[in-house]
Amino acid sequence: MKRILFFMAMLPMFFLTACSDDNEIQKDGETGNGNPPLSSIVGTWESGNYFVSFGEDEFYSAYIADEFIDSGDYKQTENEVTCSNNYFNRKTVYTIKNISKTEMKVQVSYTDLYGKTNSKDMTFTKSNETIVSKSNTLAGKSITSYSSYFGNVTRTFNSFNAGVKSATKGSAAKYPLNFFYIYIGNKMYHQVLRNNSIQVPSIGGWSTNYNEVICWELHFSANGSIDSFDKIEI
């Protein structure tokens, strides 16, 4: 009889302990159900050469498809993360299907440079790479290289995601090109955008693969200016 009474007295303690453990799992986001905590998506996630990085300052950058890089502010509502790109006036939506500390499965809905809406399923693995931050920017910097055909070719970063490519020789000197870029760690992903409002001459004009995503690893001098770059194949 005493044993039965002791067991009944201990039942509430077992119940509370079980509830406490369940709550800890929910907070950690390990179940993949319900609303993933904001802290669970913060970080850089990779899928082969593609990646998405959610910063603690609710800024994000991504390279998720050929000819598609993206950046902007993001907001999470339940299992959806909506990213706003003001440069292209577009939104990219990540619907989280499952997430743990090491893996995230999402369905991505995005609009490409040609105005087509696309959807793809992606599985990302959490990496130790640098997390994107809006304060880590190339705005105000520039880098110049020399070409016998184009003269001095300068890329000027006007803002945290946009810049201008210009030359000093040939007809290209009259037609500077706009480019969009994302910057994370010391890597800069960018794509030169075609301006359909002008007719650029083929003789002396740019020999550019428009919309192609190119990755550079940047090197800086002691004073913070861009000293050189290496192209990284992606």
Side-chain angles (χ1 to χ4, degrees):
M1 184 67 179
K2 290 182 179 179
R3 289 182 180 179
I4 296 174
L5 291 174
F6 175 78
F7 179 73
M8 293 179 64
M10 293 296 292
L11 278 177
M13 296 181 64
F14 288 126
F15 178 76
L16 289 173
T17 302
C19 290
S20 177
D21 291 342
D22 289 343
N23 288 337
E24 288 177 4
I25 292 174
Q26 291 288 342
K27 289 180 181 178
D28 201 32
E30 290 289 342
T31 61
N33 299 321
N35 179 17
L38 185 62
S39 59
S40 69
I41 69 171
V42 170
T44 297
W45 306 78
E46 297 178 338
S47 178
N49 289 330
Y50 298 136
F51 72 89
V52 58
S53 184
F54 295 104
E56 294 180 351
D57 55 358
E58 296 190 357
F59 181 76
Y60 118 109
S61 289
Y63 169 45
I64 58 171
D66 294 343
E67 298 190 353
F68 188 88
I69 53 178
D70 200 30
S71 71
D73 297 327
Y74 73 87
K75 294 291 184 184
Q76 182 182 8
T77 304
E78 295 184 351
N79 66 327
E80 284 192 354
V81 183
T82 302
C83 308
S84 301
N85 185 319
N86 292 331
Y87 184 91
F88 292 110
N89 192 28
R90 70 188 181 197
K91 292 184 184 297
T92 301
V93 178
Y94 295 79
T95 302
I96 301 174
K97 301 298 185 179
N98 195 11
I99 188 169
S100 70
K101 290 182 178 179
T102 58
E103 187 178 81
M104 177 172 64
K105 295 182 179 181
V106 299
Q107 183 181 64
V108 189
S109 176
Y110 66 96
T111 303
D112 62 25
L113 293 175
Y114 309 99
K116 180 182 177 182
T117 300
N118 301 274
S119 180
K120 64 187 297 188
D121 294 323
M122 303 186 73
T123 299
F124 293 95
T125 301
K126 190 74 168 288
S127 78
N128 294 321
E129 294 295 322
T130 303
I131 302 174
V132 72
S133 172
K134 196 172 185 177
S135 61
N136 184 28
T137 178
L138 298 175
K141 299 181 185 293
S142 65
I143 184 171
T144 301
S145 57
Y146 181 77
S147 165
S148 59
Y149 197 67
F150 297 114
N152 290 326
V153 178
T154 300
R155 291 169 176 82
T156 303
F157 302 92
N158 297 326
S159 69
F160 69 89
N161 64 1
V164 175
K165 177 182 178 183
S166 60
T168 57
K169 290 177 62 176
S171 61
K174 300 179 182 179
Y175 300 96
L177 300 174
N178 296 321
F179 65 87
F180 178 80
Y181 78 94
I182 60 176
Y183 181 57
I184 179 169
N186 62 339
K187 294 179 182 178
M188 190 266 293
Y189 297 75
H190 64 291
Q191 53 189 165
V192 176
L193 307 173
R194 181 182 294 278
N195 187 346
N196 294 321
S197 65
I198 60 175
Q199 184 79 27
V200 180
S202 58
I203 300 176
W206 294 108
S207 53
T208 299
N209 293 326
Y210 294 99
N211 300 339
E212 177 188 2
V213 176
I214 300 171
C215 180
W216 288 353
E217 183 176 10
L218 303 181
H219 306 284
F220 297 85
S221 62
N223 63 8
S225 61
I226 304 174
D227 187 49
S228 61
F229 65 88
D230 296 317
K231 184 177 180 180
I232 299 177
E233 296 297 330
I234 55 175

